[in-house]
Amino acid sequence: MKKNPCKEGGEAVHHHGRTTRRRSDLFESLPDEIVISILCKLSSTASSPSDFVTVLLTCKRLNKLGVHPLVLSNASPETLAVGAKNWSDEAHRFLKLCVNAGNKEAYYTLGMIRFYCLQNRGSGASLMAKAAIKSHAPALYSLALIQFNGSGGLKNDKDLRAGVALCARAAFLGHVDALRELGHCLQDGYGVRKNVEEGRRLLVQANARELSCVLRAFNTSPSTTSFEFRNHHRRPNLTDSDGYFCLPGSDSDFNVRSSENHRSNLPVRELHPANRFLVEWFGLRRNGAPGLRLCSYGGCGRPETRRNEFRRCSGCGTVNYCSRGCQAHDWRVHHKVECAPMEEWMGHAIDDVDEDEVGDDDRTVEIEEIEGDDDGIHV
């Protein structure tokens, strides 16, 4: 019995007296709405820009529908995580397409790149402001730091009250660094009426949120089992001398150090792709801004926009930070043991001072702004 080619999912075609079968293209028969929906899911879950772009290069139809505004507006931060090493006109154009689609992550990422890397201050700040209007917490916090530091302008261009307002909004949205910055502002009366008790409460809340992030990371990390945690991290010290929750750092402020100083299989703090870009960008251009310094916290990447814009540690005078949040992270990572000169450590060991007479120096040192253009140490 002769088979009907149409029943096998094909199409009968008569050519020069012969009957052949051509299979129908199911992909081409799909409506555009379904393909766009699939691409939206891809753009929101891709782990890197290459994962997304590779699919678009498969065929002309995917290439065309992949730049649909609905697809680009759903792109996740990792899909937009363009690397500084791969920065090009095409990468810039891709981010601009996402900006035109109304993607708030693209507003923030391209805004940070333009403001700090391409030195297009006005356009960068405008893009971050658009992201802030969409309640993007990192954008609100970055704009707050710009106001606190007067970045992109003169020292007199600082607006402390605006910085506090932006910080408060970012803190309300759950941004931990903004919560910590706001706590210090209240404690010091910096741009807001002084309220030590409320500032203290916000600082404790910020550290508690960081602690909860660490515990969640341990619970969800496939590389760290409960057995490893019990055997390598018994009874970690979670408070510092001020009563704050803290995690003694090794390679990251979210790492936990055991008695054997074990540093593997530990969850690390994820940087926003925009910060990763800054770190990589200025790592490749170490001599690109003579006289200007980067924030000493390795996970920040922000550079000064004028000399002595950032505040310097008053304990050692060798490091500087764009914010109290970065200072707190770097203190736990490694500066806590680097701040005091080695001679001072050796002096305590040689003098054999009685333990009862030694004060607890497990504290976060103050950072003070440097007046003028001198490079002296200010305590």
Side-chain angles (χ1 to χ4, degrees):
M1 180 177 178
K2 191 174 181 179
K3 295 182 180 180
N4 186 348
C6 293
K7 290 184 179 181
E8 295 183 346
E11 179 182 358
V13 178
H14 299 277
H15 183 66
H16 297 296
R18 293 187 306 170
T19 301
T20 60
R21 180 171 55 86
R22 183 177 65 196
R23 293 186 178 276
S24 60
D25 192 338
L26 297 179
F27 173 71
E28 292 296 337
S29 66
L30 288 175
D32 284 352
E33 291 78 6
I34 294 179
V35 178
I36 289 174
S37 177
I38 295 173
L39 291 174
C40 285
K41 182 66 174 179
L42 173 64
S43 68
S44 64
T45 58
S47 59
S48 66
S50 60
D51 289 347
F52 178 66
V53 174
T54 301
V55 173
L56 302 191
L57 296 177
T58 304
C59 65
K60 291 183 178 180
R61 189 184 186 199
L62 288 178
N63 190 279
K64 177 182 178 181
L65 297 180
V67 294
H68 189 279
L70 190 60
V71 176
L72 297 180
S73 65
N74 283 277
S76 67
E78 294 301 331
T79 303
L80 304 173
V82 178
K85 294 181 180 179
N86 303 320
W87 182 249
S88 61
D89 291 339
E90 288 75 17
H92 199 170
R93 192 179 305 113
F94 173 68
L95 288 178
K96 286 194 290 186
L97 286 173
C98 295
V99 163
N100 294 335
N103 188 306
K104 63 181 181 181
E105 290 291 347
Y107 282 139
Y108 176 62
T109 300
L110 186 56
M112 289 281 282
I113 293 173
R114 286 185 176 178
F115 189 91
Y116 287 108
C117 302
L118 305 182
Q119 297 185 11
N120 190 343
R121 315 290 188 194
S123 174
S126 176
L127 287 172
M128 283 188 275
K130 291 180 179 179
I133 291 174
K134 293 176 174 286
S135 297
H136 190 271
L140 286 161
Y141 179 64
S142 290
L143 290 173
L145 297 187
I146 290 174
Q147 296 296 334
F148 283 139
N149 296 320
S151 300
L154 302 175
K155 181 178 179 180
N156 294 333
D157 293 331
K158 295 180 182 180
D159 191 338
L160 304 185
R161 295 183 64 182
V164 169
L166 290 164
C167 233
R169 178 60 180 167
F172 175 78
L173 294 173
H175 197 283
V176 176
D177 287 341
L179 191 63
R180 177 176 287 108
E181 197 78 26
L182 185 60
H184 282 295
C185 287
L186 286 167
Q187 278 196 327
D188 302 335
Y190 191 72
V192 68
R193 181 178 296 178
K194 190 172 184 178
N195 188 334
V196 177
E197 182 179 353
E198 179 64 12
R200 169 85 174 185
R201 186 186 69 81
L202 293 180
L203 290 174
V204 172
Q205 185 178 350
N207 285 276
R209 289 191 181 187
E210 284 187 340
L211 175 62
S212 67
C213 291
V214 175
L215 297 179
R216 282 200 302 269
F218 271 115
N219 290 333
T220 59
S221 175
S223 61
T224 304
T225 64
S226 59
F227 175 81
E228 292 175 281
F229 183 83
R230 288 195 302 268
N231 284 274
H232 291 290
H233 310 286
R234 292 182 179 177
R235 300 185 63 184
N237 179 22
L238 300 180
T239 58
D240 63 10
S241 61
D242 294 324
Y244 298 153
F245 288 107
C246 71
L247 295 176
S250 53
D251 295 332
S252 169
D253 56 311
F254 275 3
N255 284 357
V256 178
R257 181 177 57 196
S258 69
S259 57
E260 296 83 16
N261 203 24
H262 181 71
R263 299 190 180 190
S264 61
N265 297 325
L266 297 178
V268 295
R269 179 175 183 260
E270 279 294 324
L271 293 179
H272 192 280
N275 291 88
R276 291 206 300 266
F277 187 97
L278 296 185
V279 172
E280 185 179 341
W281 178 275
F282 290 103
L284 297 172
R285 297 163 175 79
R286 295 187 182 277
N287 300 321
L292 302 180
R293 304 166 300 182
L294 293 178
C295 177
S296 294
Y297 173 51
C300 175
R302 287 183 178 86
E304 291 180 320
T305 60
R306 66 176 187 279
R307 282 180 56 85
N308 296 324
E309 175 183 335
F310 295 160
R311 290 175 288 180
R312 181 178 296 177
C313 172
S314 63
C316 62
T318 60
V319 296
N320 48 272
Y321 303 102
C322 68
S323 65
R324 295 299 294 262
C326 285
Q327 184 264 341
H329 287 313
D330 196 53
W331 177 258
R332 290 196 298 271
V333 174
H334 57 76
H335 190 58
K336 185 175 184 178
V337 297
E338 294 179 350
C339 186
M342 183 60 66
E343 294 79 8
E344 181 179 335
W345 287 62
M346 295 298 295
H348 283 304
I350 294 173
D351 295 340
D352 194 22
V353 180
D354 185 76
E355 293 184 0
D356 294 336
E357 298 179 0
V358 179
D360 187 0
D361 64 347
D362 186 15
R363 61 183 175 85
T364 301
V365 297
E366 296 295 328
I367 53 178
E368 296 184 356
E369 186 172 7
I370 300 174
E371 299 291 343
D373 293 333
D374 62 297
D375 291 326
I377 298 176
H378 294 257
V379 182

